[in-house]
Amino acid sequence: MPKSQVRKKKVYTPPTDVRPTATAATRKPSPVWLPITAVTLIVAGIGWLVVYYLSEQEYPVASWGYWNLAVGFGAMVASLIVLSRWR
């Protein structure tokens, strides 16, 4: 059985006039306060919710009622937003 011909493909060369705007080497590392702040917000949010549930909804602020849940989860969501800036 005859063998079919193998086509030779050209090697891709990227255009020289297009350059990326920012490379990974030019980005600065994150400041030290960023992960510390994120971890603090996570721990504070979880702590707020734990205190709220264990105190049978009397603490941290009894007059807020179920808004205490929004404060706890809001702190955790804020930590995720801060962590999105981490490099």
Side-chain angles (χ1 to χ4, degrees):
M1 180 173 265
K3 186 176 178 183
S4 63
Q5 280 188 330
V6 178
R7 289 184 277 161
K8 293 183 180 180
K9 294 182 181 180
K10 293 181 180 179
V11 177
Y12 173 75
T13 54
T16 57
D17 59 342
V18 178
R19 291 190 314 180
T21 57
T23 60
T26 61
R27 291 184 182 173
K28 294 180 182 178
S30 299
V32 176
W33 62 266
L34 197 135
I36 295 170
T37 304
V39 169
T40 303
L41 282 170
I42 290 173
V43 170
I46 292 173
W48 191 283
L49 293 175
V50 167
V51 168
Y52 178 69
Y53 278 116
L54 291 181
S55 68
E56 295 178 359
Q57 304 172 355
E58 291 183 21
Y59 296 107
V61 182
S63 63
W64 288 359
Y66 287 113
W67 283 103
N68 284 302
L69 296 174
V71 172
F73 285 116
M76 290 188 285
V77 169
S79 72
L80 292 175
I81 293 170
V82 170
L83 281 176
S84 71
R85 304 291 298 166
W86 190 18
R87 289 187 208 117

